[in-house]
Structures are given as C-alpha cells and as structure tokens.
Amino acid sequence: MSNVLTRKSDAKRSKAGKTASQTTIARLFFLDLASGRVMSCNPDGSGLKNISEAGKLPDGIVVDVDAGHIYWTNMGSSVSANDGSIYRADLDGKNLTTIVPEGATHTPKQLQFDKKNRKLYWCDREGMRVMRVNLDGSNLETLIETGHSDEDRRDARKWCVGIALDVDRGHVYWTHKGPDNAGQGRICRAGIDIPVGQTPSKREDIELLYDALPEPIDLDLDLANRIMYWTDRGDPPRGNTVNRAPMDVTPGARKEPEVIFTHLMEGIGLALDLKNNRMFMTDLAGSVYSANLDGSDKKNVLVLQGNVTGIAYAEIPSTSEKKR
C-alpha cells in the first residue's frame, strides 16, 4: 500500500511540475488594396505571409486576439457603389465569415475594435457616417451622419474616414478628409452613444478638435498620455505625414499639430504599439514603415507590397509546456 501511495504522490508532483508557459508572438496584419489580400509579417518585415483573399478594395483591419479573429472592411467594387462589407476570419485566414453584408454600409474605411463591449466601429466615407455593429453582425447602428443626398456625397468635407475610440471616457473620434490639397481636413469628437432625444444627423455633442488640416486619414490614440496620432495626405511639408497632438484642447488655444514622420507616398494606415514605444504606418505606394512614437528610428519594414491600406499590430499568445 505504501508503494502505491508513493507512486500516486510522485505522479501528482510530476503533473504539477508541468506548467503552461505563455509567451506572445508579435505580428503585423495589413491589407493590400491592389490585389485584395490580407497579409501578415513580423514587426521587422520577416515571415511575410499571404493569409486570405480580402475582397473588394480592403481598407481597415483589427485583431481580436482573445477570440483569434481578424476583421476587415471592404470598400466595395467602386467608391460610387453602395456595396461595402465587413469580413471576419481566423488569424490564419480560415473560416471566412461575412459580418456586414454588401450594401449595409457604403464605403467602410478605418475599423476599430471595442474589446470591452464586443463591438466594431468604422467610418463610412461616401456613406458620410460613423457606424458600429456587434461582432456577430447584429444591431447595426449609425451614430453620426453628416449628409444624405448624392450632392452631399460629392462634398469631401462630409466624408468620414479615420476613427478611434476612448471607451472608458465614452468618446469616439473621427476624421473628415476634405477635398484634395484644400487644407479643409478636420478631426472631431462626440459621445460614443447618441444623446437621448437626438439623432445621428442632429447631434449637439460634436466637438471640432482640429481643422485646416491637409487630408487627415487614419487615427490612433495614446489614452494614457492623452495624445492622438494620425496619418495625413496632401502636399508637403504638412501633407503625407504622421502627426500628433493633444486629445483635449481648449477652444481658441490649441497648438499646431506636431509633424513626426514625413515623406509618405499617399499615407493611410496607422497602428500604435504603445508598450514598445513605436508605431507602424503604410502608404499606397506599397510600403510599411516603423518608427518610435516621436518619429525617431525610422525604418522601412516592407516595400513594393501593392497598395497597402490598413494595418494592425497584435501580440498573439503562444502556449507551451515547461518543466519546473
């Protein structure tokens, strides 16, 4: 009996001695608009993979690490057609699923993931809307609407393009691109929910944070330091850059945004890696770049990858057993 108890005790100690050691693998996920691909690589550009066919003119991408999913927007067959959509796939590109079918959103652009409330948010450019939906595609909502008619649609000042979230404070941020090289771009903020008694087209809580910008595109936020970052097109020296500025500004006392990265070729995608003090950017010339958050240590991660649009940074768990 003693030997049996000893063997059982040894087996328990052996089993307890093996613990799950969880590490993470950093990956970039980005979209190629030219060939309709979802791609992934290491932050230094190595390990490049073609994950999935993306669909019609893919633009914005996010990663739900916990569920092992990527989501992305498709602008549709052309910017004039009302046939945008949102897809989901596993991190390896398998199990492709339609979340928002064609026609439910016009020209969806940058996409953001609300992990806390399990929702997707995006800007609908020619739809002139800020929208959201549950991760399963239910409860599709329009939060902000800046125009309705075809005439409105031709006014680029009404186009909503980039989007970012401050869920804890209950705010959504978005960009208005404005006409090409007109210096009429804007960044706005509003409550993440429509105020009671108001509508998407008639909201009294919209704040204009920055205006007279070249052509602001994608947004990302450093919530701890209350700083917003964005890509901006238009002509140099202020255009085709990455900029940053305070999220909270006093009306009439705002400072000019700080240009921290230059010489993009039609800049678009932006993703912050705040833990490692760096950011990743893309442009339509097919390049992926990295730099510190102040713009120093600039690197070309990838070149000639088609027309690169949205980009996301994620640290993916990799579990292995380790003996103590």
Side-chain angles (χ1 to χ4, degrees):
M1 178 65 73
S2 177
N3 288 340
V4 172
L5 291 174
T6 299
R7 285 196 298 271
K8 287 184 177 180
S9 178
D10 288 343
K12 288 181 179 180
R13 282 196 298 268
S14 177
K15 185 176 182 180
K18 291 183 179 181
T19 60
S21 174
Q22 192 174 77
T23 59
T24 59
I25 300 172
R27 296 288 290 182
L28 295 175
F29 295 84
F30 60 95
L31 301 166
D32 172 19
L33 177 127
S35 59
R37 296 179 295 169
V38 182
M39 305 182 72
S40 178
C41 69
N42 296 321
D44 63 0
S46 63
L48 181 63
K49 295 180 180 179
N50 183 9
I51 294 177
S52 175
E53 297 301 314
K56 303 171 183 176
L57 303 182
D59 188 89
I61 187 168
V62 293
V63 182
D64 179 357
V65 172
D66 293 341
H69 291 148
I70 49 177
Y71 296 83
W72 66 91
T73 63
N74 288 299
M75 292 187 287
S77 57
S78 71
V79 295
S80 61
N82 185 16
D83 61 351
S85 59
I86 297 178
Y87 289 166
R88 184 190 73 207
D90 296 343
L91 294 177
D92 59 4
K94 296 178 180 178
N95 297 316
L96 183 65
T97 303
T98 300
I99 302 301
V100 177
E102 290 188 5
T105 182
H106 195 294
T107 318
K109 297 288 288 178
Q110 189 180 11
L111 186 66
Q112 294 289 1
F113 170 46
D114 175 359
K115 180 179 179 180
K116 181 178 180 180
N117 299 296
R118 311 299 291 170
K119 291 180 178 288
L120 298 172
Y121 287 72
W122 68 95
C123 276
D124 182 352
R125 190 176 64 192
E126 275 80 6
M128 301 169 288
R129 296 174 289 190
V130 175
M131 305 183 73
R132 72 181 174 193
V133 74
N134 293 337
L135 295 185
D136 62 1
S138 63
N139 197 25
L140 180 67
E141 300 176 87
T142 295
L143 302 177
I144 295 155
E145 189 170 34
T146 62
H148 303 279
S149 65
D150 288 338
E151 182 180 356
D152 288 340
R153 206 178 326 279
R154 289 189 287 270
D155 184 353
R157 293 173 299 178
K158 299 182 182 296
W159 291 355
C160 306
V161 178
I163 190 168
L165 304 175
D166 183 355
V167 175
D168 289 341
R169 294 200 182 195
H171 286 140
V172 58
Y173 294 72
W174 72 98
T175 67
H176 289 279
K177 175 182 176 292
D180 293 349
N181 299 314
Q184 297 180 10
R186 293 171 291 149
I187 299 177
C188 298
R189 174 173 66 192
I192 208 163
D193 296 309
I194 302 173
V196 175
Q198 298 178 31
T199 66
S201 59
K202 293 182 180 180
R203 292 187 56 160
E204 299 174 1
D205 63 334
I206 294 176
E207 302 174 73
L208 174 61
L209 301 180
Y210 293 92
D211 61 358
L213 302 175
E215 297 174 45
I217 309 295
D218 281 9
L219 272 174
D220 207 347
L221 304 178
D222 178 354
L223 295 173
N225 294 299
R226 305 297 295 168
I227 298 174
M228 67 173 71
Y229 292 73
W230 69 92
T231 52
D232 211 319
R233 288 189 203 159
D235 289 338
R238 294 181 63 205
N240 270 304
T241 56
V242 178
N243 302 258
R244 66 179 179 183
M247 294 168 58
D248 307 303
V249 295
T250 303
R254 74 176 178 94
K255 297 180 180 179
E256 285 296 312
E258 179 186 4
V259 176
I260 56 175
F261 194 98
T262 60
H263 296 94
L264 293 171
M265 299 294 289
E266 299 298 315
I268 181 165
L270 176 67
L272 303 183
D273 172 16
L274 296 173
K275 186 175 74 173
N276 294 302
N277 187 45
R278 60 183 174 175
M279 57 184 177
F280 298 91
M281 300 76 66
T282 66
D283 64 26
L284 291 178
S287 294
V288 178
Y289 308 89
S290 70
N292 292 333
L293 292 180
D294 62 1
S296 62
D297 195 24
K298 300 176 182 179
K299 297 176 183 177
N300 270 77
V301 175
L302 290 168
V303 297
L304 300 176
Q305 296 300 319
N307 300 136
V308 184
T309 52
I311 189 167
Y313 172 84
E315 296 185 358
I316 302 165
S318 175
T319 303
S320 61
E321 279 203 333
K322 181 180 179 181
K323 289 185 179 182
R324 287 192 296 197

PDB file of all heavy atoms in Angstrom, residues 189-206:
ATOM      1  N   ARG A 189     -14.824  64.955 -32.271  1.00  0.00           N
ATOM      2  CA  ARG A 189     -15.092  64.030 -31.159  1.00  0.00           C
ATOM      3  C   ARG A 189     -16.553  64.164 -30.754  1.00  0.00           C
ATOM      4  O   ARG A 189     -17.135  65.249 -30.815  1.00  0.00           O
ATOM      5  CB  ARG A 189     -14.182  64.360 -29.975  1.00  0.00           C
ATOM      6  CG  ARG A 189     -14.483  63.560 -28.712  1.00  0.00           C
ATOM      7  CD  ARG A 189     -13.446  63.811 -27.628  1.00  0.00           C
ATOM      8  NE  ARG A 189     -13.474  65.175 -27.128  1.00  0.00           N
ATOM      9  CZ  ARG A 189     -12.524  65.711 -26.352  1.00  0.00           C
ATOM     10  NH1 ARG A 189     -11.465  64.994 -26.014  1.00  0.00           N
ATOM     11  NH2 ARG A 189     -12.629  66.955 -25.943  1.00  0.00           N
ATOM     12  N   ALA A 190     -17.145  63.043 -30.341  1.00  0.00           N
ATOM     13  CA  ALA A 190     -18.522  63.049 -29.830  1.00  0.00           C
ATOM     14  C   ALA A 190     -18.678  61.902 -28.850  1.00  0.00           C
ATOM     15  O   ALA A 190     -17.801  61.041 -28.717  1.00  0.00           O
ATOM     16  CB  ALA A 190     -19.525  62.924 -30.973  1.00  0.00           C
ATOM     17  N   GLY A 191     -19.813  61.868 -28.173  1.00  0.00           N
ATOM     18  CA  GLY A 191     -20.104  60.756 -27.283  1.00  0.00           C
ATOM     19  C   GLY A 191     -20.227  59.468 -28.071  1.00  0.00           C
ATOM     20  O   GLY A 191     -20.641  59.455 -29.232  1.00  0.00           O
ATOM     21  N   ILE A 192     -19.874  58.366 -27.446  1.00  0.00           N
ATOM     22  CA  ILE A 192     -19.895  57.080 -28.128  1.00  0.00           C
ATOM     23  C   ILE A 192     -21.324  56.593 -28.359  1.00  0.00           C
ATOM     24  O   ILE A 192     -21.564  55.729 -29.213  1.00  0.00           O
ATOM     25  CB  ILE A 192     -19.063  56.050 -27.334  1.00  0.00           C
ATOM     26  CG1 ILE A 192     -18.482  54.980 -28.256  1.00  0.00           C
ATOM     27  CG2 ILE A 192     -19.865  55.444 -26.192  1.00  0.00           C
ATOM     28  CD1 ILE A 192     -17.355  54.184 -27.637  1.00  0.00           C
ATOM     29  N   ASP A 193     -22.285  57.162 -27.628  1.00  0.00           N
ATOM     30  CA  ASP A 193     -23.704  56.878 -27.823  1.00  0.00           C
ATOM     31  C   ASP A 193     -24.425  58.170 -28.196  1.00  0.00           C
ATOM     32  O   ASP A 193     -24.003  59.264 -27.808  1.00  0.00           O
ATOM     33  CB  ASP A 193     -24.324  56.292 -26.553  1.00  0.00           C
ATOM     34  CG  ASP A 193     -23.740  54.942 -26.181  1.00  0.00           C
ATOM     35  OD1 ASP A 193     -23.696  54.069 -27.067  1.00  0.00           O
ATOM     36  OD2 ASP A 193     -23.333  54.770 -25.019  1.00  0.00           O
ATOM     37  N   ILE A 194     -25.514  58.037 -28.941  1.00  0.00           N
ATOM     38  CA  ILE A 194     -26.316  59.197 -29.323  1.00  0.00           C
ATOM     39  C   ILE A 194     -27.042  59.735 -28.088  1.00  0.00           C
ATOM     40  O   ILE A 194     -27.697  58.966 -27.378  1.00  0.00           O
ATOM     41  CB  ILE A 194     -27.333  58.822 -30.410  1.00  0.00           C
ATOM     42  CG1 ILE A 194     -26.621  58.265 -31.645  1.00  0.00           C
ATOM     43  CG2 ILE A 194     -28.184  60.032 -30.789  1.00  0.00           C
ATOM     44  CD1 ILE A 194     -27.567  57.714 -32.701  1.00  0.00           C
ATOM     45  N   PRO A 195     -26.942  61.024 -27.814  1.00  0.00           N
ATOM     46  CA  PRO A 195     -27.672  61.578 -26.666  1.00  0.00           C
ATOM     47  C   PRO A 195     -29.174  61.352 -26.798  1.00  0.00           C
ATOM     48  O   PRO A 195     -29.728  61.338 -27.907  1.00  0.00           O
ATOM     49  CB  PRO A 195     -27.338  63.078 -26.727  1.00  0.00           C
ATOM     50  CG  PRO A 195     -26.030  63.145 -27.470  1.00  0.00           C
ATOM     51  CD  PRO A 195     -26.090  62.039 -28.469  1.00  0.00           C
ATOM     52  N   VAL A 196     -29.829  61.181 -25.690  1.00  0.00           N
ATOM     53  CA  VAL A 196     -31.269  60.945 -25.670  1.00  0.00           C
ATOM     54  C   VAL A 196     -31.987  62.109 -26.349  1.00  0.00           C
ATOM     55  O   VAL A 196     -31.688  63.281 -26.101  1.00  0.00           O
ATOM     56  CB  VAL A 196     -31.770  60.787 -24.214  1.00  0.00           C
ATOM     57  CG1 VAL A 196     -33.294  60.656 -24.184  1.00  0.00           C
ATOM     58  CG2 VAL A 196     -31.123  59.565 -23.568  1.00  0.00           C
ATOM     59  N   GLY A 197     -32.917  61.768 -27.234  1.00  0.00           N
ATOM     60  CA  GLY A 197     -33.700  62.779 -27.919  1.00  0.00           C
ATOM     61  C   GLY A 197     -33.043  63.362 -29.155  1.00  0.00           C
ATOM     62  O   GLY A 197     -33.623  64.231 -29.814  1.00  0.00           O
ATOM     63  N   GLN A 198     -31.822  62.915 -29.488  1.00  0.00           N
ATOM     64  CA  GLN A 198     -31.119  63.403 -30.671  1.00  0.00           C
ATOM     65  C   GLN A 198     -30.993  62.285 -31.703  1.00  0.00           C
ATOM     66  O   GLN A 198     -31.326  61.132 -31.434  1.00  0.00           O
ATOM     67  CB  GLN A 198     -29.754  63.970 -30.276  1.00  0.00           C
ATOM     68  CG  GLN A 198     -29.870  65.162 -29.322  1.00  0.00           C
ATOM     69  CD  GLN A 198     -28.532  65.719 -28.883  1.00  0.00           C
ATOM     70  OE1 GLN A 198     -27.551  65.671 -29.617  1.00  0.00           O
ATOM     71  NE2 GLN A 198     -28.486  66.259 -27.662  1.00  0.00           N
ATOM     72  N   THR A 199     -30.548  62.639 -32.899  1.00  0.00           N
ATOM     73  CA  THR A 199     -30.435  61.680 -33.995  1.00  0.00           C
ATOM     74  C   THR A 199     -29.022  61.723 -34.561  1.00  0.00           C
ATOM     75  O   THR A 199     -28.259  62.656 -34.279  1.00  0.00           O
ATOM     76  CB  THR A 199     -31.432  62.024 -35.114  1.00  0.00           C
ATOM     77  OG1 THR A 199     -31.056  63.286 -35.713  1.00  0.00           O
ATOM     78  CG2 THR A 199     -32.855  62.126 -34.579  1.00  0.00           C
ATOM     79  N   PRO A 200     -28.629  60.722 -35.384  1.00  0.00           N
ATOM     80  CA  PRO A 200     -27.284  60.729 -35.962  1.00  0.00           C
ATOM     81  C   PRO A 200     -26.961  61.996 -36.759  1.00  0.00           C
ATOM     82  O   PRO A 200     -25.808  62.424 -36.802  1.00  0.00           O
ATOM     83  CB  PRO A 200     -27.299  59.499 -36.874  1.00  0.00           C
ATOM     84  CG  PRO A 200     -28.303  58.585 -36.262  1.00  0.00           C
ATOM     85  CD  PRO A 200     -29.362  59.479 -35.716  1.00  0.00           C
ATOM     86  N   SER A 201     -27.958  62.605 -37.398  1.00  0.00           N
ATOM     87  CA  SER A 201     -27.721  63.796 -38.212  1.00  0.00           C
ATOM     88  C   SER A 201     -27.927  65.096 -37.437  1.00  0.00           C
ATOM     89  O   SER A 201     -27.614  66.184 -37.949  1.00  0.00           O
ATOM     90  CB  SER A 201     -28.636  63.791 -39.434  1.00  0.00           C
ATOM     91  OG  SER A 201     -30.000  63.754 -39.046  1.00  0.00           O
ATOM     92  N   LYS A 202     -28.447  64.993 -36.220  1.00  0.00           N
ATOM     93  CA  LYS A 202     -28.665  66.185 -35.402  1.00  0.00           C
ATOM     94  C   LYS A 202     -28.200  65.902 -33.976  1.00  0.00           C
ATOM     95  O   LYS A 202     -29.000  65.571 -33.094  1.00  0.00           O
ATOM     96  CB  LYS A 202     -30.142  66.591 -35.422  1.00  0.00           C
ATOM     97  CG  LYS A 202     -30.622  67.075 -36.781  1.00  0.00           C
ATOM     98  CD  LYS A 202     -32.076  67.518 -36.738  1.00  0.00           C
ATOM     99  CE  LYS A 202     -32.534  68.010 -38.103  1.00  0.00           C
ATOM    100  NZ  LYS A 202     -33.954  68.450 -38.089  1.00  0.00           N
ATOM    101  N   ARG A 203     -26.882  66.021 -33.802  1.00  0.00           N
ATOM    102  CA  ARG A 203     -26.267  65.803 -32.500  1.00  0.00           C
ATOM    103  C   ARG A 203     -25.648  67.099 -32.001  1.00  0.00           C
ATOM    104  O   ARG A 203     -24.965  67.806 -32.752  1.00  0.00           O
ATOM    105  CB  ARG A 203     -25.207  64.707 -32.583  1.00  0.00           C
ATOM    106  CG  ARG A 203     -25.781  63.328 -32.857  1.00  0.00           C
ATOM    107  CD  ARG A 203     -24.738  62.242 -32.759  1.00  0.00           C
ATOM    108  NE  ARG A 203     -24.049  62.211 -31.481  1.00  0.00           N
ATOM    109  CZ  ARG A 203     -23.378  61.154 -31.017  1.00  0.00           C
ATOM    110  NH1 ARG A 203     -23.320  60.036 -31.740  1.00  0.00           N
ATOM    111  NH2 ARG A 203     -22.766  61.197 -29.861  1.00  0.00           N
ATOM    112  N   GLU A 204     -25.866  67.399 -30.733  1.00  0.00           N
ATOM    113  CA  GLU A 204     -25.362  68.637 -30.151  1.00  0.00           C
ATOM    114  C   GLU A 204     -24.060  68.450 -29.382  1.00  0.00           C
ATOM    115  O   GLU A 204     -23.530  69.417 -28.824  1.00  0.00           O
ATOM    116  CB  GLU A 204     -26.431  69.230 -29.228  1.00  0.00           C
ATOM    117  CG  GLU A 204     -27.731  69.577 -29.952  1.00  0.00           C
ATOM    118  CD  GLU A 204     -28.834  70.036 -29.017  1.00  0.00           C
ATOM    119  OE1 GLU A 204     -28.562  70.093 -27.792  1.00  0.00           O
ATOM    120  OE2 GLU A 204     -29.949  70.310 -29.491  1.00  0.00           O
ATOM    121  N   ASP A 205     -23.539  67.205 -29.365  1.00  0.00           N
ATOM    122  CA  ASP A 205     -22.339  66.945 -28.565  1.00  0.00           C
ATOM    123  C   ASP A 205     -21.079  66.813 -29.423  1.00  0.00           C
ATOM    124  O   ASP A 205     -20.030  66.414 -28.915  1.00  0.00           O
ATOM    125  CB  ASP A 205     -22.522  65.675 -27.740  1.00  0.00           C
ATOM    126  CG  ASP A 205     -22.707  64.423 -28.588  1.00  0.00           C
ATOM    127  OD1 ASP A 205     -23.174  64.554 -29.744  1.00  0.00           O
ATOM    128  OD2 ASP A 205     -22.379  63.320 -28.108  1.00  0.00           O
ATOM    129  N   ILE A 206     -21.141  67.155 -30.700  1.00  0.00           N
ATOM    130  CA  ILE A 206     -19.976  67.029 -31.573  1.00  0.00           C
ATOM    131  C   ILE A 206     -19.018  68.194 -31.328  1.00  0.00           C
ATOM    132  O   ILE A 206     -19.414  69.355 -31.367  1.00  0.00           O
ATOM    133  CB  ILE A 206     -20.397  66.974 -33.054  1.00  0.00           C
ATOM    134  CG1 ILE A 206     -21.193  65.695 -33.326  1.00  0.00           C
ATOM    135  CG2 ILE A 206     -19.168  67.039 -33.966  1.00  0.00           C
ATOM    136  CD1 ILE A 206     -21.732  65.591 -34.740  1.00  0.00           C
TER     137      ILE A 206
END
